[in-house]
Amino acid sequence: MGEASVALNAKELVLKSLKEKDGKFVSGEKLSAELKVTRAAVWKQIQALRKDGYTIESKPKLGYRLLGVPDVLFPWEIQAQRGRSLIGHSVHRFDELDSTMDKAEELAQAGGEEGLVVVAETQKRGKGRMGRMWLSPQGGVWLSIILRPKIHPRYAPILSLMAAVAVARAIWRVCHLEAKLKWPNDVLLEGRKVSGILTKINAETDLINYVIVGVGVNVNVNPASLDPRLREAATCLKDEAGREISRTTFVQVLLEEKEKLYRLFLRRDFTAILNAWKRLSDTLGRWVRVEFQGEAVEGEAVDLDGTGGLLLKLADGSLRQVLAGDVKVLRNR
Ligand code: BTN
């Protein structure tokens, strides 16, 4: 497991030096002088990096050069960009977990600080909204973030909308694809779901203790190849972009976007977040059916309220606020 640290260990220092040389050779002697360790210690770290999947060429007289970086969500790769940030300063990575939600919650209860990220390469029991399961094979991004905003719990739903906006923005920055949002927080590409958000809140009557924001993104994994029932409904970034997407880059950008929005949230600029969501909405202006716990309501989705609830205009002209549920678009207006 990768622990938080801004102070780098020997392996990370060797990696940093190799990266700084931008694919050029650096001698073992220079590395050992720079890092104040023996040449044997440098060699040991080179071997450790190779074991992690880094491609490092070594040549007599020339030394070492970095030729390839594996697309593994190593804490040091993510933290390298996030050292002094609020979100992602500390990354706990696992090859496999039941669910990053459970691990993040366990860490939050043990005092895990705001911005701590739990990421897993695969999840055995990934959790979706409404008690559904979430397929989480290799190639996706499955992560949960601990947040501790000192804010009234009524505003917590905005954190889910915020997460969806951050995913859409990251998709634009990394893949140049225009994602749309389905209320409350599904991220769609060409009408198919590419990402889902799950939030779990732990609060007193009028104060949030912590919120776990879980984000699942089908990056290089095609959900339809695993579950034929998803063929029509789901997609992945790789298929939409027509190329493999670096998950490391995606996570770095995602955390950056999350942080920008979360800072607005902490300043209580909820309107800015809600407006950002509305601009990306695929739900507003449509005639929808919202189902929740066996009940259904139909109407035109006309707006969001101040805490992220969906406002429906029913057939009789009355307004109805919906706080949770599954949206199905029936027609445009
Ligand atoms: C949805 O149903 O749309 C929400 C899916 C949320 C999935 C993510 S993957 C990371 C985190 N861990 C989980 O078990 N679930 C969330």
Side-chain angles (χ1 to χ4, degrees):
M1 187 180 75
E3 287 300 326
S5 70
V6 179
L8 304 180
N9 63 32
K11 182 169 79 176
E12 292 160 24
L13 285 168
V14 171
L15 179 61
K16 189 164 175 275
S17 296
L18 288 174
K19 280 187 173 174
E20 280 166 6
K21 302 295 176 302
D22 226 1
K24 294 191 196 72
F25 279 102
V26 53
S27 70
E29 199 177 341
K30 198 157 176 229
L31 278 174
S32 85
E34 249 178 42
L35 308 176
K36 299 186 182 64
V37 293
T38 62
R39 287 182 66 171
V42 168
W43 171 246
K44 203 173 134 203
Q45 300 313 329
I46 295 280
Q47 289 300 79
L49 285 165
R50 283 176 172 157
K51 206 161 155 241
D52 284 340
Y54 291 85
T55 312
I56 301 167
E57 188 182 9
S58 54
K59 272 203 167 153
K61 297 208 181 75
L62 289 174
Y64 306 101
R65 66 171 171 165
L66 180 63
L67 293 178
V69 175
D71 193 20
V72 179
L73 300 171
F74 289 126
W76 54 84
E77 292 287 350
I78 299 166
Q79 286 166 192
Q81 311 286 321
R82 314 287 316 146
R84 278 175 214 83
S85 316
L86 205 54
I87 296 181
H89 53 79
S90 166
V91 177
H92 295 236
R93 175 196 169 271
F94 299 83
D95 285 331
E96 181 174 85
L97 281 177
D98 277 348
S99 162
T100 57
M101 297 305 280
D102 298 343
K103 180 52 77 178
E105 175 136 46
E106 184 189 313
L107 292 168
Q109 279 174 0
E113 69 277 36
E114 164 145 287
L116 183 155
V117 174
V118 174
V119 56
E121 300 289 338
T122 61
Q123 297 184 118
K124 279 189 288 185
R125 292 184 188 80
K127 296 179 180 181
R129 287 176 63 237
M130 315 274 181
R132 288 185 284 251
M133 68 170 240
W134 181 264
L135 289 175
S136 320
Q138 287 284 355
V141 161
W142 327 119
L143 60 81
S144 296
I145 307 169
I146 299 176
L147 299 177
R148 296 183 178 276
K150 294 193 176 39
I151 278 178
H152 196 284
R154 85 167 71 95
Y155 297 109
I158 298 177
L159 290 169
S160 309
L161 302 185
M162 179 194 100
V165 172
V167 171
R169 288 182 174 177
I171 291 175
W172 174 249
R173 280 180 56 190
V174 177
C175 312
H176 285 276
L177 295 169
E178 276 187 54
K180 290 277 176 197
L181 306 181
K182 183 170 102 168
W183 188 86
N185 43 31
D186 282 356
V187 184
L188 312 176
L189 282 173
E190 303 298 334
R192 292 184 183 171
K193 182 158 165 172
V194 70
S195 166
I197 315 286
L198 182 68
T199 39
K200 183 153 188 211
I201 170 168
N202 180 303
E204 312 286 322
T205 323
D206 51 13
L207 201 65
I208 291 175
N209 290 328
Y210 60 79
V211 179
I212 310 292
V213 181
V215 183
V217 189
N218 300 327
V219 179
N220 296 319
V221 50
N222 184 347
S225 67
L226 302 156
D227 185 345
R229 286 168 301 172
L230 294 176
R231 194 154 291 145
E232 287 306 309
T235 187
C236 69
L237 293 182
K238 180 183 168 194
D239 285 359
E240 299 295 331
R243 66 183 164 94
E244 191 101 357
I245 300 297
S246 157
R247 292 179 313 137
T248 311
T249 306
F250 188 81
V251 170
Q252 285 166 347
V253 173
L254 175 65
L255 297 182
E256 230 175 86
E257 291 298 332
K258 276 230 151 55
E259 170 131 6
K260 282 189 221 157
L261 290 158
Y262 187 55
R263 287 191 186 276
L264 291 175
F265 184 85
L266 292 179
R267 290 208 302 267
R268 292 174 168 64
D269 193 352
F270 305 132
T271 316
I273 298 170
L274 295 172
N275 285 342
W277 189 95
K278 288 183 204 178
R279 283 195 294 275
L280 294 165
S281 165
D282 187 50
T283 302
L284 298 180
R286 304 226 201 209
W287 191 267
V288 299
R289 178 183 169 88
V290 187
E291 289 178 11
F292 183 57
Q293 295 182 337
E295 293 200 5
V297 54
E298 281 186 25
E300 185 192 344
V302 287
D303 205 355
L304 295 181
D305 69 13
T307 58
L310 185 64
L311 295 175
L312 294 185
K313 190 171 172 192
L314 309 192
D316 64 5
S318 63
L319 271 188
R320 172 80 69 87
Q321 180 205 40
V322 184
L323 296 176
D326 276 327
V327 167
K328 201 169 175 184
V329 174
L330 300 178
R331 59 178 191 271
N332 288 333
R333 255 177 237 272

